Amino acid sequence: MTAVPSERRSGPRVDDPELRGRRSEPRAYLLLPASAEAMSGRLRVTVLDVSRTGARLEGENLPNVGKDVILRCGSLDTFGTVAWTSSGRCGLQFDEPIAPSELVTLRGLYAATKDSPFTPEEREAADDWLNGLAR
C-alpha cells in the first residue's frame, strides 16, 4: 500500500476571498481501512488522508454533502459532516478537532500495515473486526 497524495490545489483560488482552498491543518497521507456510519448504514471506506480537522475518504455509496457520519479507524472514533463528494471520494469535516496523539497513532498504524506479514485477506478481516464491520 502506498499513500495517496491529495489532488487538491496547493493554494486558494484567486476569486476565493475566504481562502477556503488553503488548509489550516497539515494532512497525513495514509491508506487505512475504516468504517463510516451514517443514517443509511455502515460503510467500508479507506482513509486517504487525515488532519486534526478532517479526512478524505474513498468508498462506494458515500453519504451526500451535509450528512453526519461517525468515522471509525483504528482507535479513532469521531463525528463529522460530509463537506464534499466527487468520484467515489468525500471530504469529512470533524465536529471537534482530534488530538495530535490520535494523528500519531494513525500514522503508526499505517506504518505497521505497510510492513505486515499477513495476506491482504487476513488484514481485511482484522480491519473489519477493528472497525466494527465484522459479523
Side-chain angles (χ1 to χ4, degrees), residues 25-97:
E25 294 284 336
R27 297 236 164 199
Y29 297 101
L30 313 165
L31 254 180
L32 288 175
S35 68
E37 189 170 338
M39 291 298 289
S40 58
R42 190 175 294 175
L43 307 168
R44 178 178 289 140
V45 297
T46 301
V47 177
L48 301 176
D49 63 48
V50 66
S51 74
R52 292 193 59 226
T53 57
R56 183 168 52 119
L57 309 177
E58 183 175 61
E60 295 180 17
N61 302 316
L62 295 169
N64 294 325
V65 172
K67 297 295 181 181
D68 294 327
V69 172
I70 300 170
L71 177 65
R72 290 187 172 96
C73 182
S75 62
L76 178 67
D77 194 4
T78 189
F79 290 95
T81 303
V82 177
W84 59 267
T85 62
S86 176
S87 303
R89 293 183 177 179
C90 75
L92 188 65
Q93 182 176 355
F94 300 147
D95 289 355
E96 298 288 330

Side-chain angles (χ1 to χ4, degrees), residues 75-135:
S75 62
L76 178 67
D77 194 4
T78 189
F79 290 95
T81 303
V82 177
W84 59 267
T85 62
S86 176
S87 303
R89 293 183 177 179
C90 75
L92 188 65
Q93 182 176 355
F94 300 147
D95 289 355
E96 298 288 330
I98 62 174
S101 61
E102 290 181 303
L103 281 177
V104 171
T105 299
L106 289 175
R107 290 182 90 169
L109 183 60
Y110 170 64
T113 60
K114 281 191 335 182
D115 303 325
S116 173
F118 300 108
T119 67
E121 293 80 17
E122 291 170 327
R123 281 196 310 267
E124 184 175 323
D127 293 333
D128 284 353
W129 180 81
L130 181 67
N131 293 315
L133 292 167
R135 297 200 188 270

